[in-house]
Amino acid sequence: MAMPSENVNNMNNQDPNNNGIWAKIMEIKVGVLPLPLYIFIAAAVFLAAYFNELPSDMIGGFAVIMVIGMLLGDIGLKTPILKDIGGPTILSLLLPSIAVFLGWFNAPAIDAVDTLMSTSNFLYAYIAVLVVGSILGMSRVVLLQGFARMFIPLVAGTLSAVAVGLIVGSLFGYELYHTFFFIIVPIISGGIGEGILPLSISYATMIDQPSTELLAQLVPAAIIGNIVAIICAGMMKKLGEKRPDLNGNGVLVRAKGANDIFTEKQKEAPVDFRLMGAGVLVASTFFIFGGVLEGWVGISGAVLMIILAALVKVLNIMPAQMELGSHQLYKFVSSSFTWPLMVGLGIMFIPLESVAAVFSVSYVIICASVVLAMVGSGFFVGKLMNMYPIEAAIVTGCHSGLGGTGDVAILSASNRMGLMPFAQISTRLGGAATVIGATLLMRFFLG
């Protein structure tokens, strides 16, 4: 039977604004999820936890930290000012810690996160993937030549930061041991995932304190240092605009053609999921082998993992396909799980009272002095080494940032994203050397 013509007309003449409004709502994203879908997922997880139906295993743990991490990371990336000072990291670490302190998480939610982070050891898996994948994924030529180019400014900056930090810490009555190992080293360790987490594991093997408790003492210094480094980068940009003779406009070395190798873009290979699977095995093996060697050489397995990965990269003995798989896995994990992992750390390992206990005006001043010394040293040493002082200061300052995200924030503040290869050298190799050196020094001092 034919449909009445007026009904057909009514269907054809439905208000297009209804579809338009829904399409606009779907364009609003929380992370990568459309807002309505995010609300549905978040409500499902919340209700499961509220009615004690949330699985206290990896599935429940991932659900909790992913829902919260996506939201807080997104807010941190979009909030003015906050987005320029490491907002996603700050919010993802501190707000869950505050929520736990206020009792906003019930037992099923905390149990699920605890199972994921501690029992299932997602924390260590994240560390292994980031450390191994980031090192194996670097260009070997850039790694060697960039390190050779940055070695003197990086060493000078590190020594200056340590000296100034110790002096300022002493003026405020801090013990040299505490200032060095718990304030200076975290700032220059290369970020949280690739620096502070392995550092806390190393410290825990030498002092009678679990690594989870040490995190609350190490993280605040790194966050403050990152904020100061970003501010310094902005100030360097302003100085470069007023003093063109000091400004390379994103070029580090004054010699013509000396920067060409670092401006060449590497071709992005298509994502290969089988190689990423092999990357899981490669990262796991480095971590396990580091643990085996720990019993023989007396150095933390997490630190030995860094040394082994760097050694394998320099000797060029890892098949290129395995390096590619490890690096693609690193990119996947770092882009998908960093903010959720920070949420897990905030819930389980960073009690608010412990963080509040270390904060003071003198503490902030010490942190700021470390970064200022690092940046100032890079400026003057770079000038002596035929580098543009502005760029040398900014790249050296990346050594005091929050890892890769810190590098992006610092270089964005200075409008010099082209310096990323040098920043990665400063952060990754400088951070790895700091973790290794601090571990050896602590072992020496503690006998």
Side-chain angles (χ1 to χ4, degrees), residues 273-302:
F273 297 109
R274 293 179 302 169
L275 291 180
M276 288 175 65
V280 174
L281 180 58
V282 170
S284 300
T285 304
F286 272 100
F287 187 88
I288 292 169
F289 194 46
V292 172
L293 292 179
E294 179 180 344
W296 297 345
V297 299
I299 299 175
S300 166

Side-chain angles (χ1 to χ4, degrees), residues 46-276:
F46 172 81
L47 291 173
Y50 183 79
F51 290 109
N52 296 325
E53 296 295 335
L54 185 73
S56 55
D57 53 21
M58 287 181 64
I59 294 175
F62 271 123
V64 172
I65 67 171
M66 292 292 286
V67 162
I68 301 173
M70 278 189 175
L71 178 62
L72 296 182
D74 206 50
I75 293 172
L77 286 171
K78 294 176 180 177
T79 304
I81 299 177
L82 193 61
K83 67 180 181 180
D84 297 322
I85 59 173
T89 299
I90 295 171
L91 292 183
S92 298
L93 281 169
L94 296 184
L95 290 190
S97 178
I98 293 171
V100 171
F101 180 78
L102 296 175
W104 291 356
F105 286 103
N106 65 359
I110 291 179
D111 288 345
V113 176
D114 182 41
T115 300
L116 173 66
M117 299 294 291
S118 302
T119 307
S120 299
N121 231 347
F122 174 59
L123 177 60
Y124 284 14
Y126 176 90
I127 295 170
V129 168
L130 253 66
V131 168
V132 174
S134 64
I135 293 176
L136 293 184
M138 294 186 73
S139 163
R140 181 171 175 271
V141 175
V142 171
L143 179 71
L144 294 173
Q145 295 198 16
F147 182 71
R149 198 73 54 79
M150 285 301 303
F151 180 75
I152 294 177
L154 198 55
V155 170
T158 301
L159 294 177
S160 299
V162 171
V164 172
L166 291 175
I167 292 170
V168 176
S170 298
L171 293 176
F172 283 108
Y174 283 75
E175 294 181 357
L176 295 178
Y177 170 87
H178 181 83
T179 303
F180 179 74
F181 288 108
F182 292 91
I183 300 179
I184 298 173
V185 169
I187 293 174
I188 59 177
S189 65
I192 293 178
E194 296 155 281
I196 287 178
L197 293 180
L199 192 67
S200 66
I201 298 170
S202 300
Y203 282 5
T205 62
M206 294 177 281
I207 58 181
D208 189 22
Q209 198 171 354
S211 61
T212 53
E213 292 182 10
L214 290 168
L215 282 173
Q217 302 176 49
L218 301 172
V219 168
I223 291 175
I224 295 171
N226 186 68
I227 294 172
V228 176
I230 292 168
I231 294 171
C232 287
M235 293 172 64
M236 286 291 109
K237 177 187 175 185
K238 293 292 184 184
L239 178 61
E241 292 169 354
K242 294 180 179 179
R243 291 285 306 275
D245 57 307
L246 304 174
N247 185 3
N249 291 307
V251 174
L252 180 64
V253 183
R254 292 180 184 272
K256 186 177 180 181
N259 302 276
D260 291 349
I261 189 173
F262 302 101
T263 57
E264 293 178 3
K265 292 185 178 180
Q266 290 181 274
K267 293 182 179 179
E268 286 290 332
V271 173
D272 190 320
F273 297 109
R274 293 179 302 169
L275 291 180
M276 288 175 65

Side-chain angles (χ1 to χ4, degrees), residues 50 58 107 127 230 261 304 315 340-342 346 351 363 402 418:
Y50 183 79
M58 287 181 64
I127 295 170
I230 292 168
I261 189 173
L304 290 171
L315 295 177
L341 179 91
M342 298 302 158
Y363 184 88
L402 281 176

Side-chain angles (χ1 to χ4, degrees), residues 246-373:
L246 304 174
N247 185 3
N249 291 307
V251 174
L252 180 64
V253 183
R254 292 180 184 272
K256 186 177 180 181
N259 302 276
D260 291 349
I261 189 173
F262 302 101
T263 57
E264 293 178 3
K265 292 185 178 180
Q266 290 181 274
K267 293 182 179 179
E268 286 290 332
V271 173
D272 190 320
F273 297 109
R274 293 179 302 169
L275 291 180
M276 288 175 65
V280 174
L281 180 58
V282 170
S284 300
T285 304
F286 272 100
F287 187 88
I288 292 169
F289 194 46
V292 172
L293 292 179
E294 179 180 344
W296 297 345
V297 299
I299 299 175
S300 166
V303 173
L304 290 171
M305 175 178 63
I306 299 172
I307 297 174
L308 289 170
L311 188 62
V312 166
K313 184 64 184 181
V314 169
L315 295 177
N316 199 26
I317 56 178
M318 180 66 72
Q321 290 291 88
M322 295 302 98
E323 290 185 345
L324 176 61
S326 298
H327 188 59
Q328 289 184 344
L329 177 67
Y330 153 78
K331 288 165 63 175
F332 165 67
V333 170
S334 62
S335 62
S336 302
F337 294 106
T338 294
W339 314 138
L341 179 91
M342 298 302 158
V343 170
L345 292 176
I347 292 173
M348 299 307 309
F349 305 139
I350 305 181
L352 186 63
E353 55 271 22
S354 299
V355 175
V358 303
F359 266 104
S360 64
V361 174
S362 58
Y363 184 88
V364 174
I365 292 174
I366 295 169
C367 293
S369 71
V370 171
V371 179
L372 290 172

